[in-house]
Amino acid sequence: MYYVLGIDGGGTKTICLVMNEQRQILGRGEAGASNYQSIGANAALISIESAIKAAIEQTGKIQVQAICLGLAGAGRSKDIEVIQGIIRDLQQSPNLPIEWILPNNIIICHDALTALVGGIGNDVGVVVAAGTGTIVFGRNQQGQTKRVGGWGYILGDEGGAYNIAVAGMKAAMRAYDGRELSTCLVEDFKNQLGLESIEDLIEVVYRRGWGVREIASLAPVVDNAAVNGDEVAREIIDEGVRELVKATRVVVTELVGDDFEIVTVGSVWKAKSNIRKKFMESICAEFGNVRVILPRYEPAYGACLLALKQLHFS
Amino acid sequence: MYYVLGIDGGGTKTICLVMNEQRQILGRGEAGASNYQSIGANAALISIESAIKAAIEQTGKIQVQAICLGLAGAGRSKDIEVIQGIIRDLQQSPNLPIEWILPNNIIICHDALTALVGGIGNDVGVVVAAGTGTIVFGRNQQGQTKRVGGWGYILGDEGGAYNIAVAGMKAAMRAYDGRELSTCLVEDFKNQLGLESIEDLIEVVYRRGWGVREIASLAPVVDNAAVNGDEVAREIIDEGVRELVKATRVVVTELVGDDFEIVTVGSVWKAKSNIRKKFMESICAEFGNVRVILPRYEPAYGACLLALKQLHFS
């Protein structure tokens, strides 16, 4: 009996699953953030080790023959070197009751791939991830891949929660100035944040140490305003949908479209303003045999499948 | 003979002028940044004191009857309290050979007002400031004022260098993804920053500790591309012009337009891609007796005039 570890490392938490060759999950552990670019390699190592340890507690000592780590932004060779260092450290760790048998069975990949494989249950299809940021990633039967977006809150992330929130705040300031249509977003942001004047958004956004995540958490203000019929908010939401459709179109077309599953993952899809419905209508109108699905499994499950696949090839 | 001090406090430097009642400049001093929101009240105090000291070295010991400080973002009452504390400290300072005679002649104002008064030479007109960020501010004969923009790099600053640079980088990523028209900006940013791949913009923008100013310094890449005929870059520049025109229109209209001088200040107006010319054409086509001028004096000069005016009223 052999086992693999699948790890999903993100900006808020790290999840580790233990899977056997029958694709059965035997253990699951969670720990804190492991996006090493923000928190440093050592803190990432500690989170990953904790998640593994918590998962192994449910299995007892095991032999691990392959490990797959999906980590946010792990695309570049420099990143991969750092993460390989982390795995070497893991294999030396006295805290883990694991017998490592994985000379070459170490897979380090972008979290979009693990989200795709987990979401669909195999490694062919397209994932449209729209949380704080956005990325569209696809892989076809021939193994060709295509990525669009995922460039972060300054360079891209169109259609993501951060962008929606910022567009909403900008629209509020423009209405307040008299530059654009009036919108209930002015009052909505004031109420949401307990501000006397919308000018105090400056205090909130620049001076309270708010980061991308905190700003993104205001996206529901725009979503709710859109649901309540505010034209400006609705246009922001529709623009987000158009961006997600556009990015998806490029990926599907490049992989020689049709007959794909597209899995939607991330908080934006849970919006009340029908973002997912509008996205599905656009995509299905454009492509014949594309099906838009909800995730079947979590990304760490996808990481396990990728680890198993590596074993079968090696 | 009485004297006033006019101070222009910004994010890179602080300038102090000493003016007599004949509007003659008798001393000028420069020091480092004094935007207290970023660097703290104490560091701001040190810069302001240094600038005053350098100016007073050219005059010898003087009586100061009024002082005006124009500081970035000094609009809110909380800001004004902090700056009043700074001025109290200045009056206690043993380092300044000044006899302070200014119980009530202390003016603290937004740097847009000092830019307006310095740029035009009196306190009626409109200033269109477009540097890293943007703000349009006007004042009419009746003393009514109107401000549009100035909400910073996240909430606004449309038409400013930061926005132009970010729009250029986003366009490059979109072209690279295949989402939008191709543009020479991809190669231009790579060349400017010595990148192997445009994907390395992520390294530059998020991981090198770059701030707003550093990003804004890339605006000339877009400007040059526009000059060289790149359609995508030209559209970014034109969009910036449209935003500056729109903001100016609101201010001019609200102050019951016509017969104004509009002064343009800031680095964006020095762009090679005719931003200023396009702006002037739009504004002059729309308003009859509006004249667009270059600054007559610097903002610290405007601060002196405001200090003198206060004296004449008190």
Side-chain angles (χ1 to χ4, degrees):
Chain A
M1 183 62 94
Y2 61 83
Y3 299 92
V4 299
L5 299 182
I7 296 167
D8 171 34
T12 46
K13 58 183 177 179
T14 301
I15 294 163
C16 174
L17 292 178
V18 184
M19 185 183 270
N20 67 14
E21 56 195 304
Q22 280 85 40
R23 293 190 171 199
Q24 290 170 316
I25 298 300
L26 303 163
R28 185 179 192 278
E30 283 196 24
S34 54
N35 54 332
Y36 86 90
Q37 293 104 335
S38 307
I39 63 173
N42 205 45
L45 170 64
I46 290 170
S47 291
I48 294 170
E49 185 182 84
S50 301
I52 295 175
K53 194 152 181 276
I56 298 293
E57 273 167 17
Q58 297 159 29
T59 63
K61 179 162 180 166
I62 56 170
Q63 285 189 334
V64 168
Q65 296 202 316
I67 180 170
C68 172
L69 280 87
L71 288 167
R76 305 168 323 135
S77 56
K78 266 187 241 168
D79 293 318
I80 289 171
E81 275 169 39
V82 172
I83 299 163
Q84 279 171 335
I86 290 176
I87 294 178
R88 274 194 299 275
D89 288 346
L90 278 177
Q91 293 177 265
Q92 307 303 325
S93 167
N95 304 322
L96 297 176
I98 291 178
E99 186 185 339
W100 297 95
I101 313 174
L102 37 77
N104 293 308
N105 300 324
I106 297 167
I107 307 157
I108 296 160
C109 63
H110 200 287
D111 59 349
L113 178 60
T114 50
L116 169 67
V117 176
I120 292 188
N122 65 63
D123 61 359
V124 173
V126 175
V127 61
V128 186
T132 299
T134 58
I135 188 168
V136 182
F137 178 79
R139 189 176 175 285
N140 67 10
Q141 293 281 1
Q142 292 75 47
Q144 292 170 308
T145 62
K146 172 67 182 172
R147 163 208 175 152
V148 166
W151 306 120
Y153 70 106
I154 298 175
L155 301 174
D157 281 351
E158 294 88 350
Y162 176 84
N163 262 28
I164 289 171
V166 166
M169 290 190 287
K170 282 189 171 179
M173 301 320 290
R174 294 168 74 85
Y176 176 75
D177 280 341
R179 273 184 286 173
E180 295 283 357
L181 295 178
S182 68
T183 163
C184 71
L185 288 169
V186 176
E187 289 305 310
D188 293 350
F189 280 115
K190 280 168 62 179
N191 292 338
Q192 175 72 25
L193 296 162
L195 308 178
E196 277 180 44
S197 159
I198 194 70
E199 294 199 19
D200 295 333
L201 262 186
I202 285 187
E203 181 75 26
V204 172
V205 168
Y206 301 112
R207 300 184 197 167
R208 285 192 193 163
W210 272 36
V212 172
R213 218 169 283 268
E214 288 81 8
I215 291 175
S217 74
L218 297 175
V221 175
V222 182
D223 183 38
N224 287 328
V227 170
N228 293 330
D230 185 79
E231 270 304 317
V232 172
R234 197 143 60 185
E235 176 51 30
I236 291 169
I237 295 292
D238 286 350
E239 174 64 16
V241 172
R242 282 192 293 272
E243 288 292 342
L244 292 167
V245 168
K246 181 182 280 186
T248 305
R249 179 185 300 131
V250 172
V251 172
V252 172
T253 306
E254 183 145 330
L255 298 177
V256 196
D258 268 23
D259 205 18
F260 269 114
E261 282 186 332
I262 295 177
V263 61
T264 57
V265 306
S267 59
V268 165
W269 301 110
K270 296 175 185 124
K272 298 179 199 156
S273 55
N274 287 325
I275 290 182
R276 194 163 184 278
K277 182 163 170 277
K278 290 174 180 175
F279 173 83
M280 283 176 74
E281 285 170 0
S282 284
I283 287 293
C284 294
E286 193 163 339
F287 298 99
N289 290 311
V290 160
R291 286 174 310 285
V292 180
I293 65 166
L294 292 169
R296 295 200 174 96
Y297 307 100
E298 63 183 328
Y301 188 98
C304 287
L305 293 187
L306 287 164
L308 278 185
K309 187 172 181 184
Q310 177 75 9
L311 271 191
H312 294 150
F313 278 119
S314 60
Chain B
M1 183 63 92
Y2 61 81
Y3 299 90
V4 299
L5 299 182
I7 295 166
D8 172 34
T12 47
K13 58 184 177 178
T14 301
I15 294 163
C16 175
L17 292 177
V18 184
M19 184 183 270
N20 67 15
E21 57 195 303
Q22 280 85 39
R23 294 190 169 197
Q24 290 169 318
I25 297 300
L26 301 163
R28 184 179 193 282
E30 282 196 24
S34 54
N35 54 333
Y36 88 89
Q37 293 106 334
S38 306
I39 64 173
N42 205 46
L45 170 63
I46 290 170
S47 290
I48 293 171
E49 187 183 84
S50 301
I52 294 176
K53 194 152 181 277
I56 299 294
E57 271 168 16
Q58 298 160 28
T59 64
K61 180 163 178 165
I62 55 169
Q63 286 189 331
V64 168
Q65 296 203 315
I67 179 170
C68 173
L69 280 86
L71 289 167
R76 305 166 325 132
S77 55
K78 265 187 243 170
D79 293 319
I80 289 172
E81 275 170 38
V82 173
I83 299 163
Q84 279 170 336
I86 291 177
I87 294 178
R88 275 194 300 275
D89 289 344
L90 277 177
Q91 292 178 264
Q92 307 303 324
S93 167
N95 304 323
L96 296 176
I98 291 177
E99 185 184 342
W100 298 95
I101 315 175
L102 38 76
N104 294 308
N105 301 324
I106 297 167
I107 306 157
I108 296 159
C109 62
H110 199 287
D111 60 349
L113 178 60
T114 51
L116 169 67
V117 176
I120 291 188
N122 65 63
D123 59 1
V124 174
V126 175
V127 60
V128 186
T132 299
T134 58
I135 187 168
V136 182
F137 179 80
R139 189 177 176 285
N140 67 11
Q141 293 281 1
Q142 292 75 48
Q144 293 171 307
T145 62
K146 172 66 183 171
R147 163 206 175 154
V148 167
W151 306 120
Y153 70 105
I154 297 174
L155 301 175
D157 282 351
E158 295 88 349
Y162 176 84
N163 262 28
I164 290 170
V166 167
M169 291 190 286
K170 281 188 172 181
M173 300 321 289
R174 294 168 73 86
Y176 175 75
D177 279 341
R179 274 184 286 173
E180 296 283 358
L181 295 178
S182 69
T183 163
C184 72
L185 288 169
V186 176
E187 289 305 311
D188 293 350
F189 279 114
K190 280 168 61 180
N191 292 338
Q192 174 72 23
L193 296 164
L195 309 178
E196 276 179 44
S197 159
I198 194 70
E199 293 199 20
D200 295 333
L201 262 186
I202 286 188
E203 181 75 26
V204 173
V205 167
Y206 301 112
R207 299 184 198 168
R208 285 191 193 164
W210 272 36
V212 172
R213 217 168 285 270
E214 289 80 9
I215 291 174
S217 74
L218 297 175
V221 174
V222 182
D223 184 39
N224 287 328
V227 169
N228 293 330
D230 184 78
E231 271 303 314
V232 172
R234 197 144 60 184
E235 176 50 31
I236 291 169
I237 294 293
D238 287 349
E239 174 64 16
V241 172
R242 281 192 294 272
E243 288 292 342
L244 293 167
V245 168
K246 181 182 280 187
T248 305
R249 178 185 300 131
V250 172
V251 172
V252 172
T253 306
E254 183 146 329
L255 298 175
V256 197
D258 268 21
D259 206 19
F260 270 114
E261 283 186 332
I262 294 177
V263 61
T264 57
V265 305
S267 59
V268 165
W269 301 110
K270 295 174 186 129
K272 297 179 200 156
S273 56
N274 287 326
I275 291 183
R276 195 162 183 279
K277 181 162 171 278
K278 291 174 181 176
F279 174 83
M280 284 177 73
E281 285 170 358
S282 284
I283 288 292
C284 294
E286 193 164 341
F287 298 99
N289 289 310
V290 160
R291 288 174 306 287
V292 180
I293 65 167
L294 291 169
R296 296 200 173 95
Y297 308 99
E298 64 183 328
Y301 188 98
C304 287
L305 294 187
L306 287 165
L308 279 184
K309 188 172 181 185
Q310 177 76 9
L311 271 189
H312 295 150
F313 279 119
S314 61

